[in-house]
Amino acid sequence: MAATLPVFMNEYKEVLEKELKKLIIGLQAPEVLKQAMDYSLQAGGKRIRPMLIFATLASFRKDPKIGLEAAAALEMIHTYSLIHDDLPSMDDDDLRRGQPTNHKVFGEAAAILAGDALLTYAFQVVAQSVCYSNEQKVTLIEWLAAAAGPEGMVAGQMADIEGETKELMLAELEYIHKNKTGRLLAYSVMAGALLAGAGENQLKHFQEYAFHIGLAFQIRDDILDIEGSEEKIGKRVGSDTVNHKSTYPSLLTMKGAKARLNEHADFAREALRQTNTESTLLFELVDLIVTRDQ
Amino acid sequence: MAATLPVFMNEYKEVLEKELKKLIIGLQAPEVLKQAMDYSLQAGGKRIRPMLIFATLASFRKDPKIGLEAAAALEMIHTYSLIHDDLPSMDDDDLRRGQPTNHKVFGEAAAILAGDALLTYAFQVVAQSVCYSNEQKVTLIEWLAAAAGPEGMVAGQMADIEGETKELMLAELEYIHKNKTGRLLAYSVMAGALLAGAGENQLKHFQEYAFHIGLAFQIRDDILDIEGSEEKIGKRVGSDTVNHKSTYPSLLTMKGAKARLNEHADFAREALRQTNTESTLLFELVDLIVTRDQ
């Protein structure tokens, strides 16, 4: 339980990636579909969302592996959203984490289908689990769909596309990020807390924590698009400025954005204290989100 | 209970379409996303899949409305698949049921997102239902995801795209149709039977029935592409021939395809007899599928 975050993340990243591999290999599906799903699932990243599930379980002294299937499903949903976001008619990105995007490798039709397949399979994985009770499954699925669907991530993505061509108010920018990134990050924490058996009041504080790290995550993203290293991020920087996209630094100045970032980090830490759990890893995750350079 | 199929279908089509409307209007989502979802959901059709749920419930003398939320979710999944299938990088269709396709009206990005939103929301609708037990919800979600995802409809769509440029063997053609169309039709019947409380043995015979009407449905589709009326179908006919697409008539001759259609209809009727239910409507649905002209 006393593992520090880097050790913990290395261990569970491997566990998660093995599980994802296993879940795809076992599918009775056309080979090219499996390859396209696997390609993006294995394209790496820090797996922040699964880590939030695992670390939340650890903060209750529960075995993080209880969250494995929920984490795999969540990572499938996150991955589908990246595949569809990168499509020519959406953000039209050729690179993701330094690798060619899914449609560049498999073509646009296969990329759309791989995204659809991952999204659908995510719910199947939770429903088929032998680890969770029916009540837990139904709550996980309801929360996950609400966080990812038309009242969550897809709403944010739609608002983002609509907002691309105009200067946004801060409230509009926050709506986009709360939904596009925040809801799924929040779900991660809530899923971990649910599986750990958290009480009503604890769930409320975890939700507060998740809300603030979600916004902190996005502000850091905007800052990295200006100050980050292309090599580390694995994609072009400066694209927001070139595209005249509203960001936290463009609306608040860089100094203001950094102050806002630290405010959200402080609120997240405060919420965490209120949960009365041993949340060393979740505190370290706040620091990671605030200081990450990729 | 003694309603004949046309009366029954008219009544429940209206009930379903009201429910779909209600489920979209209540969403906290960007207006354009709701419009894009609603546009395709309300684009009509005979609602064969929901009718299979309702009619299966009726064959157990149960209130068909028990199946309403399951039917709405199912129609959302069917609708998402049509929106994505019509995209320029997929089938590139401008018309569906005589109306401009979703991406023609809302643009490609919004169409992809409307599809993603419908797919995700379908699972939310089942999970949130106040009519089903947790056990029923989990089974419905597991079956629906399996039927729609990488081991079902998406697999069939992928194989269809891969097969477009080559002459297929009959077994390959059947693989495509079993998955692309058959799995979701089969789910419809199984969902109705599950909610009606069917026994293990009855479920087996309903599955058999669903399998055969699924193939019959597709063979009729291939026949209509040659013999059908553009006006009634709402899209160009003859496109399979122009695209050198393998179809039942191209592999079996038109006479052979019609014989095969009748064989599947007979097998479906036989399976239905074995269920020991009052399945008048389901018998009529076989006739409808075999003789439909749109």
Side-chain angles (χ1 to χ4, degrees), chain A residues 33 35-41 43 75-93 96 101-104 106-119, chain B residues 112 116:
Chain A
L33 181 63
Q35 283 168 13
M37 294 166 78
D38 184 63
Y39 176 80
S40 292
L41 278 178
E75 195 65 6
M76 284 179 194
I77 298 238
H78 173 58
T79 302
Y80 117 75
S81 78
L82 301 182
I83 296 174
H84 282 192
D85 276 13
D86 287 337
L87 287 168
S89 61
M90 307 275 272
D91 290 354
D92 195 14
D93 276 316
R96 160 83 57 190
T101 45
N102 198 292
H103 65 272
K104 281 283 156 189
F106 297 95
E108 223 176 307
I112 293 171
L113 290 174
D116 294 342
L118 285 169
L119 171 53
Chain B
I112 293 172
D116 294 343

XYZ file of all heavy atoms in Angstrom, chain A residues 33 35-41 43 75-93 96 101-104 106-119, chain B residues 112 116:
378
model
N -10.279 -5.824 -37.858
C -10.991 -5.061 -36.829
C -10.254 -5.175 -35.493
O -10.037 -4.178 -34.792
C -12.436 -5.557 -36.698
C -13.314 -4.839 -35.674
C -13.511 -3.372 -36.041
C -14.686 -5.510 -35.560
N -7.113 -5.873 -35.083
C -5.835 -5.146 -35.196
C -6.038 -3.642 -34.998
O -5.248 -2.989 -34.310
C -5.204 -5.383 -36.566
C -4.526 -6.732 -36.699
C -4.174 -7.062 -38.149
O -4.214 -6.194 -39.015
N -3.850 -8.318 -38.406
N -7.089 -3.115 -35.611
C -7.334 -1.679 -35.503
C -7.689 -1.298 -34.064
O -7.264 -0.252 -33.555
C -8.441 -1.247 -36.464
N -8.472 -2.148 -33.382
C -8.803 -1.889 -31.975
C -7.546 -1.953 -31.118
O -7.271 -1.074 -30.300
C -9.832 -2.917 -31.466
C -11.205 -2.828 -32.133
S -12.251 -4.299 -31.805
C -12.811 -3.965 -30.122
N -6.770 -3.006 -31.334
C -5.568 -3.239 -30.534
C -4.530 -2.134 -30.757
O -3.880 -1.685 -29.814
C -4.975 -4.603 -30.917
C -3.769 -4.973 -30.071
O -3.943 -5.126 -28.849
O -2.654 -5.095 -30.626
N -4.393 -1.698 -32.011
C -3.391 -0.675 -32.353
C -3.546 0.561 -31.474
O -2.583 1.043 -30.878
C -3.539 -0.290 -33.830
C -2.625 0.830 -34.278
C -1.290 0.573 -34.588
C -3.094 2.141 -34.401
C -0.445 1.595 -35.011
C -2.258 3.169 -34.822
C -0.936 2.895 -35.122
O -0.108 3.914 -35.530
N -4.761 1.064 -31.375
C -4.957 2.285 -30.588
C -4.974 2.012 -29.082
O -4.525 2.849 -28.298
C -6.230 3.009 -31.015
O -6.078 3.527 -32.324
N -5.472 0.839 -28.694
C -5.467 0.506 -27.262
C -4.047 0.390 -26.726
O -3.779 0.711 -25.569
C -6.189 -0.825 -27.013
C -7.705 -0.799 -26.926
C -8.224 -2.216 -26.734
C -8.196 0.090 -25.789
N -1.436 1.982 -27.863
C -0.601 3.124 -28.252
C -0.084 3.904 -27.049
O 0.542 4.941 -27.193
C -1.373 4.054 -29.194
N -10.839 2.603 -20.485
C -9.762 2.910 -21.431
C -10.232 2.664 -22.878
O -9.826 3.363 -23.806
C -8.516 2.078 -21.099
C -7.244 2.555 -21.765
C -6.745 3.942 -21.325
O -7.327 4.534 -20.392
O -5.774 4.432 -21.943
N -11.134 1.694 -23.061
C -11.713 1.466 -24.400
C -12.523 2.688 -24.845
O -12.460 3.106 -25.995
C -12.620 0.234 -24.389
C -11.847 -1.065 -24.376
S -12.954 -2.501 -24.333
C -11.751 -3.776 -23.910
N -13.298 3.235 -23.920
C -14.114 4.409 -24.258
C -13.226 5.609 -24.545
O -13.431 6.333 -25.521
C -15.113 4.721 -23.113
C -16.057 3.537 -22.926
C -15.819 6.056 -23.350
C -17.510 3.811 -23.071
N -12.212 5.812 -23.708
C -11.284 6.915 -23.954
C -10.604 6.738 -25.325
O -10.498 7.683 -26.109
C -10.243 6.955 -22.830
C -9.140 7.939 -23.055
N -9.379 9.277 -23.237
C -7.789 7.778 -23.149
C -8.219 9.906 -23.426
N -7.246 9.010 -23.384
N -10.205 5.522 -25.617
C -9.494 5.245 -26.881
C -10.402 5.449 -28.093
O -9.981 6.017 -29.104
C -8.937 3.808 -26.862
O -8.073 3.668 -25.731
C -8.156 3.509 -28.137
N -11.660 4.981 -28.002
C -12.594 5.208 -29.110
C -12.720 6.706 -29.375
O -12.765 7.157 -30.523
C -13.965 4.564 -28.830
C -15.103 5.555 -28.732
C -15.627 6.154 -29.881
C -15.636 5.948 -27.504
C -16.656 7.104 -29.799
C -16.636 6.885 -27.407
C -17.141 7.463 -28.558
O -18.131 8.409 -28.485
N -12.773 7.498 -28.297
C -12.979 8.941 -28.485
C -11.771 9.572 -29.193
O -11.931 10.485 -30.004
C -13.267 9.631 -27.150
O -12.081 9.833 -26.404
N -10.580 9.074 -28.903
C -9.381 9.579 -29.588
C -9.414 9.209 -31.070
O -9.109 10.029 -31.941
C -8.103 9.018 -28.949
C -7.876 9.323 -27.460
C -6.554 8.741 -26.988
C -7.918 10.820 -27.182
N -9.796 7.963 -31.363
C -9.841 7.507 -32.771
C -10.813 8.377 -33.569
O -10.491 8.852 -34.658
C -10.259 6.022 -32.868
C -9.221 5.117 -32.195
C -10.445 5.608 -34.336
C -9.631 3.636 -32.122
N -12.017 8.583 -33.029
C -13.011 9.383 -33.757
C -12.592 10.862 -33.818
O -12.762 11.511 -34.846
C -14.397 9.204 -33.131
C -15.066 7.908 -33.522
N -16.389 7.633 -33.291
C -14.577 6.809 -34.155
C -16.696 6.416 -33.751
N -15.605 5.903 -34.269
N -12.025 11.397 -32.721
C -11.554 12.806 -32.719
C -10.517 13.069 -33.799
O -10.450 14.180 -34.333
C -10.888 13.164 -31.379
C -11.896 13.578 -30.324
O -13.100 13.363 -30.543
O -11.479 14.093 -29.275
N -9.689 12.079 -34.064
C -8.581 12.275 -35.018
C -9.031 12.219 -36.480
O -8.249 12.551 -37.371
C -7.503 11.199 -34.798
C -6.701 11.435 -33.519
O -6.655 12.591 -33.054
O -6.120 10.460 -32.999
N -10.264 11.791 -36.737
C -10.722 11.584 -38.123
C -10.637 12.879 -38.946
O -10.743 13.979 -38.389
C -12.174 11.083 -38.117
C -12.384 9.627 -37.669
C -13.876 9.362 -37.429
C -11.832 8.638 -38.692
N -10.477 12.735 -40.256
C -10.378 13.913 -41.128
C -11.516 14.908 -40.943
O -11.290 16.120 -40.949
C -10.412 13.309 -42.535
C -9.828 11.945 -42.357
C -10.285 11.490 -41.004
N -12.744 14.418 -40.740
C -13.871 15.357 -40.597
C -13.954 15.952 -39.197
O -14.762 16.842 -38.939
C -15.186 14.653 -40.935
O -15.391 13.582 -40.040
N -13.127 15.450 -38.279
C -13.116 16.020 -36.920
C -11.826 16.861 -36.798
O -11.714 17.874 -37.455
C -13.177 14.898 -35.879
C -14.336 13.922 -36.103
S -15.919 14.445 -35.391
C -15.748 13.759 -33.756
N -10.857 16.437 -35.978
C -9.645 17.259 -35.804
C -8.616 17.051 -36.917
O -7.640 17.803 -37.001
C -8.987 16.956 -34.447
C -9.816 17.487 -33.288
O -10.815 18.176 -33.549
O -9.467 17.210 -32.125
N -8.799 16.024 -37.723
C -7.904 15.721 -38.844
C -6.437 15.647 -38.406
O -5.579 16.359 -38.943
C -8.080 16.774 -39.952
C -7.446 16.300 -41.262
O -7.131 15.095 -41.373
O -7.252 17.131 -42.152
N -6.158 14.777 -37.438
C -4.787 14.625 -36.949
C -4.120 13.384 -37.554
O -4.724 12.321 -37.628
C -4.780 14.502 -35.413
C -4.812 15.867 -34.734
O -4.075 16.754 -35.200
O -5.563 16.040 -33.754
N -0.606 10.842 -33.234
C -1.128 10.756 -31.862
C -0.032 10.049 -31.064
O 0.369 8.948 -31.417
C -2.440 9.992 -31.892
C -2.964 9.371 -30.629
C -3.728 10.280 -29.714
N -4.888 10.946 -30.303
C -5.533 11.925 -29.652
N -5.140 12.313 -28.437
N -6.558 12.521 -30.226
N -2.064 8.123 -36.703
C -3.383 7.891 -36.115
C -4.058 6.681 -36.777
O -3.644 6.221 -37.845
C -4.270 9.141 -36.261
O -4.133 9.651 -37.590
C -3.835 10.219 -35.285
N -5.101 6.178 -36.137
C -5.753 4.935 -36.564
C -6.167 4.971 -38.036
O -5.878 4.022 -38.788
C -6.953 4.664 -35.657
C -7.419 3.218 -35.726
O -7.929 2.792 -36.748
N -7.218 2.457 -34.657
N -6.814 6.052 -38.465
C -7.292 6.079 -39.856
C -6.151 6.199 -40.852
O -6.305 5.841 -42.022
C -8.309 7.222 -40.057
C -7.741 8.590 -39.887
N -7.671 9.223 -38.671
C -7.199 9.458 -40.770
C -7.123 10.420 -38.813
N -6.819 10.584 -40.080
N -4.981 6.691 -40.408
C -3.814 6.745 -41.291
C -3.295 5.334 -41.569
O -2.749 5.057 -42.626
C -2.707 7.592 -40.641
C -2.932 9.084 -40.761
C -2.576 9.534 -42.173
C -3.276 10.796 -42.555
N -3.088 11.110 -43.989
N -5.239 2.260 -40.894
C -6.260 1.281 -41.290
C -7.298 1.840 -42.259
O -8.143 1.102 -42.761
C -6.961 0.737 -40.039
C -6.034 -0.002 -39.127
C -5.435 0.634 -38.048
C -5.722 -1.346 -39.366
C -4.547 -0.049 -37.220
C -4.849 -2.028 -38.535
C -4.259 -1.372 -37.454
N -7.235 3.136 -42.531
C -8.245 3.753 -43.390
C -9.402 4.263 -42.554
O -9.625 3.817 -41.423
N -10.154 5.186 -43.146
C -11.187 5.884 -42.384
C -12.337 4.975 -41.963
O -12.819 5.045 -40.828
C -11.728 7.012 -43.264
C -11.929 8.303 -42.516
C -12.383 9.419 -43.456
O -11.705 9.642 -44.482
O -13.418 10.026 -43.152
N -12.798 4.122 -42.862
C -13.936 3.250 -42.539
C -13.591 2.324 -41.381
O -14.362 2.188 -40.418
C -14.354 2.436 -43.766
N -12.422 1.695 -41.447
C -12.015 0.773 -40.372
C -11.829 1.524 -39.058
O -12.128 0.989 -37.981
C -10.741 0.030 -40.756
N -11.348 2.765 -39.133
C -11.149 3.551 -37.912
C -12.485 3.882 -37.251
O -12.622 3.784 -36.028
C -10.376 4.829 -38.212
N -13.466 4.257 -38.066
C -14.796 4.528 -37.503
C -15.336 3.257 -36.830
O -15.819 3.288 -35.700
C -15.768 5.023 -38.596
C -15.328 6.405 -39.099
C -17.213 5.084 -38.055
C -16.082 6.892 -40.325
N -15.212 2.127 -37.534
C -15.725 0.865 -36.986
C -14.951 0.420 -35.742
O -15.538 -0.107 -34.797
C -15.681 -0.228 -38.053
C -16.689 -0.036 -39.196
C -16.469 -1.079 -40.284
C -18.123 -0.109 -38.672
N -13.635 0.619 -35.741
C -12.848 0.245 -34.557
C -13.311 1.071 -33.362
O -13.436 0.551 -32.245
C -11.361 0.451 -34.814
N -13.592 2.349 -33.578
C -14.121 3.195 -32.511
C -15.478 2.705 -32.030
O -15.708 2.550 -30.832
N -16.373 2.429 -32.972
C -17.698 1.915 -32.618
C -17.588 0.607 -31.829
O -18.325 0.373 -30.870
C -18.537 1.656 -33.879
C -18.870 2.935 -34.634
O -18.772 4.023 -34.042
O -19.228 2.850 -35.832
N -16.663 -0.252 -32.276
C -16.487 -1.557 -31.631
C -15.978 -1.390 -30.203
O -16.469 -2.052 -29.275
C -15.525 -2.420 -32.448
N -15.015 -0.506 -30.000
C -14.469 -0.290 -28.653
C -15.528 0.279 -27.717
O -15.645 -0.133 -26.564
C -13.265 0.663 -28.715
C -11.978 0.051 -29.270
C -10.945 1.144 -29.547
C -11.411 -0.985 -28.309
N -16.316 1.223 -28.235
C -17.368 1.833 -27.428
C -18.389 0.779 -26.990
O -18.775 0.705 -25.819
C -18.039 2.953 -28.240
C -19.316 3.605 -27.703
C -19.139 4.115 -26.289
C -19.754 4.755 -28.607
N -21.095 11.781 -37.144
C -20.309 10.794 -36.387
C -20.664 10.897 -34.908
O -20.921 9.890 -34.236
C -18.791 11.019 -36.597
C -18.413 10.707 -38.053
C -17.975 10.143 -35.644
C -16.986 11.080 -38.422
N -22.319 8.218 -32.295
C -21.666 7.846 -31.033
C -22.599 8.090 -29.853
O -22.659 7.285 -28.914
C -20.389 8.689 -30.834
C -19.313 8.372 -31.869
O -19.399 7.317 -32.523
O -18.380 9.190 -32.016
